[in-house]
Amino acid sequence: MCIRDRNELPNEGAVFSYTLSFSYTFKNANDRVYFAASKPYSYTMLTKLLSEIKEKLLPQAKSTIIVDKDELQKEIDDFTEKELSKKRQNQEETLKLERLLTHRIEKLKAYNHADSQVKDYQINTNELIFRKETLTYTLAGLPIELITITGASSSSQVIERRKVIFITARVHAAEIAGSFKMEGILRFLTGDTKAAEHLRSLYVFRIVPMLNPDGVVCGNFRCNLMGTDLNRRWDSPDRTLHSQIYYLKQLMRRTIAESRRILLFCDLHEHSRSLNSFIYGCNKMADGSFCTWTKVRLLPRIMAKNCTLFSYNGCRFSVETNKQRTARVVVWKEFKVDNSFTLESSCYGYCAGTQIKAFERKEYCEIGEALLKAILEYHYVVKNMEEELVLNKGWLKPSKLVELTGTPAAVLAAKRMVQEKESRQKKERAERLKETLSLRYSISLKRTQPRGSSREQPTPLSLPT
């Protein structure tokens, strides 16, 4: 039973919300029963996925490097200290919070990692570099895994010149669609397809598969152990309370300081009220250049062309007041990343013509793959449109944009389903007409034949098909 409640909130007045109530009869005494809004994707499942990828790559490895678990965090801290000393920023409040929580956090870390045998590592094969390292630790001491994937090269300078793509998921613990999409991304990038090989040769992928493992482990919906929505702390994260956001931002800042361009940032989410998959982007280019409208919409249009599960009509390109502190908006504003997106997927399903079908694990994984394929196509399409954008001061005619990006796959699929339905109905009508004519012909023969006639029955005429 679903009840619409009227709740009074401070400074907001009456707010309507829905409460789902249901009854359940336990079959056996002392049974442990779990209730979930959707199929779970646990922290353990992520750990198993990374182990599976590792076991797949090890037979192909030319070399394997054991990485110090705290190496990356120390490097970022060193970079931060240099940056702070240059800007002479006051960190007294942060240090005060750190002193209050350090003892408790260290005890949690010691508890979680005392017997841990999991090592950070880098696997080098002839085709790719796969590196797993610890970005930082959560309040409960769980590691925030950072995965780096790129193509193998004999020259480190070639890798350093590649643009960087950041992809994150599960900042909101209950949004399991993000993890299924992330699984599709990780499997595709570590696969042996030509598209995956080409992507690795073009970009360095920095991936955080689970930003809020504390919330996932404890069964929280949106928040971490402090009751904080981490996706509303990107503007000024605390190094202790919101360490995963703090260190990820510092990693981005260091990437830019090394004169490397961040081509794309994408945060994977799940949506509780809308159907299909779609993207939330920002309204204009971050640098205010000539590409003020077209370019930020290019990748979503390409994705819509290739993926029937993705709806371009569901995409929104705006910056609302209540989204100012989210990852998408902060990365766009602070780091001048034009393609700063949130990739949303419905927690329920998608439109397939006139039908609504429920999302399964396979479809969520396909959306992750579709994002990567769209990035690859974007690399070539943007080259073709650069000259035209310059000539037209950042504007493309709608017909030209459609020509470059094509018609959305969902639109084509819907048209195809309508055509198939009309064809099927036409065939059914023809069958019914054939049966009706055959019945009428049979009745007319019976009426014209004399009673008791010994003449042979005439052979029925064959009707045209």
Side-chain angles (χ1 to χ4, degrees), residues 250-309:
Q250 289 303 101
L251 180 61
M252 291 180 178
R253 191 168 280 115
R254 191 182 73 167
T255 300
I256 294 170
E258 293 169 350
S259 300
R260 303 180 71 176
R261 182 186 167 194
I262 300 176
L263 176 77
L264 178 140
F265 169 80
C266 189
D267 195 15
L268 308 181
H269 282 256
E270 179 179 285
H271 206 283
S272 60
R273 290 176 293 174
S274 299
L275 293 170
N276 304 309
S277 290
F278 48 91
I279 273 176
Y280 288 150
C282 299
N283 192 37
K284 296 180 179 179
M285 299 295 284
D287 59 3
S289 66
F290 55 83
C291 305
T292 57
W293 186 90
T294 305
K295 214 169 180 181
V296 293
R297 290 161 173 78
L298 184 58
L299 183 73
R301 285 197 65 93
I302 293 172
M303 194 168 173
K305 181 193 73 172
N306 297 330
C307 182
T308 57
L309 306 172

Side-chain angles (χ1 to χ4, degrees), residues 21-37:
S21 302
F22 62 93
S23 61
Y24 179 83
T25 302
F26 292 92
K27 297 179 180 179
N28 303 301
N30 301 319
D31 270 0
R32 178 177 291 181
V33 179
Y34 296 92
F35 298 96

